[in-house]
Amino acid sequence: DAGVIQSPRHEVTEMGQEVTLRCKPISGHNSLFWYRQTMMRGLELLIYFNNNVPIDDSGMPEDRFSAKMPNASFSTLKIQPSEPRDSAVYFCASSLFAGLLFFGSGTRLTVV
Amino acid sequence: DQQVKQNSPSLSVQEGRISILNCDYTNSMFDYFLWYKKYPAEGPTFLISISSIKDKNEDGRFTVFLNKSAKHLSLHIVPSQPGDSAVYFCAAVPGNEKLTFGTGTRLTIIP
């Protein structure tokens, strides 16, 4: 089992550009989560899907952020336009039930 | 509103001694609590959990204690080893809803 796979591992982009982060969950898991890690807020839930359907996107900071899960094996988190304050590590996680999450290695995003 | 709080951003402990990491929560609907461990450049990994019907759960060197009346839980690591140096996140979930994480505590084990 390859675990949760995220790409890219690192992304450096200029302010105003579109950024797309990708995630492949563990096969068979029915829930997928996008988290953002910052020093001030720790691990912050942005959005989660259950059976490919967005359940709670209350953590998405602004309309600049959007997430999709077109099928059970793929999800994207898009930021358009990106801003320097979006710089953080973004984690994707999948699970069979809410408590036990399996995380990917994260994408470190730097917006300059 | 931070429903899960880890008030110590960092902790240093001598190798072989006990490490105690603390976590407080405010939501009385939380009924399942977890600790995750995170190494640099890796995602968090599950360490140990406890249900609200228990007050203690032990797994090898790791023990989690839950005090529901105080809305407090703690993670004890004994004896502490250099490989335990990591960031530890406390997390809680009500029923089958979403997990809420604390801000993390960076544990450094001093050889």
Side-chain angles (χ1 to χ4, degrees):
Chain A
D1 191 345
V4 176
I5 299 173
Q6 290 187 246
S7 64
R9 287 298 307 270
H10 302 274
E11 177 79 41
V12 180
T13 190
E14 291 185 347
M15 182 174 62
Q17 296 297 305
E18 177 181 295
V19 175
T20 300
L21 312 182
R22 297 173 175 80
C23 175
K24 177 179 169 54
I26 293 173
S27 177
H29 282 188
N30 58 3
S31 294
L32 182 140
F33 304 79
W34 283 100
Y35 282 89
R36 177 169 67 177
Q37 184 188 6
T38 61
M39 290 295 291
M40 291 299 294
R41 299 174 71 90
L43 281 167
E44 182 183 14
L45 178 66
L46 301 177
I47 185 171
Y48 81 95
F49 297 83
N50 186 260
N51 293 321
N52 311 338
V53 176
I55 302 300
D56 185 346
D57 65 355
S58 60
M60 295 287 261
E62 303 171 30
D63 291 346
R64 299 184 296 106
F65 285 69
S66 63
K68 294 182 180 179
M69 191 165 187
N71 56 63
S73 59
F74 184 66
S75 177
T76 59
L77 177 68
K78 186 176 293 186
I79 308 172
Q80 165 64 18
S82 57
E83 297 182 2
R85 60 192 168 120
D86 301 331
S87 297
V89 181
Y90 291 80
F91 288 102
C92 174
S94 69
S95 76
L96 279 175
F97 60 94
L100 187 55
L101 271 58
F102 293 82
F103 284 82
S105 297
T107 295
R108 180 174 294 276
L109 173 65
T110 303
V111 183
V112 298
Chain B
D1 178 29
Q2 197 76 21
Q3 297 188 51
V4 178
K5 301 177 184 179
Q6 294 177 256
N7 293 317
S8 297
S10 62
L11 176 68
S12 294
V13 175
Q14 205 78 30
E15 182 179 358
R17 298 289 187 102
I18 183 170
S19 295
I20 300 176
L21 294 90
N22 294 303
C23 177
D24 297 295
Y25 62 95
T26 58
N27 188 343
S28 57
M29 297 302 290
F30 288 145
D31 59 2
Y32 193 62
F33 303 87
L34 307 93
W35 285 93
Y36 281 76
K37 178 178 180 179
K38 184 186 179 304
Y39 291 119
E42 295 183 12
T45 56
F46 170 74
L47 183 60
I48 192 170
S49 64
I50 188 168
S51 164
S52 60
I53 63 173
K54 295 186 174 182
D55 55 17
K56 176 184 175 181
N57 187 29
E58 190 173 351
D59 183 2
R61 297 185 298 113
F62 303 91
T63 303
V64 56
F65 294 92
L66 176 62
N67 182 333
K68 287 188 293 293
S69 60
K71 292 190 174 68
H72 177 83
L73 67 156
S74 60
L75 174 67
H76 292 210
I77 306 172
V78 55
S80 301
Q81 299 175 353
D84 297 329
S85 294
V87 177
Y88 289 79
F89 290 97
C90 170
V93 58
N96 200 31
E97 296 296 318
K98 58 187 179 183
L99 204 58
T100 299
F101 283 89
T103 51
T105 296
R106 181 178 300 279
L107 175 64
T108 302
I109 305 302
I110 304 165

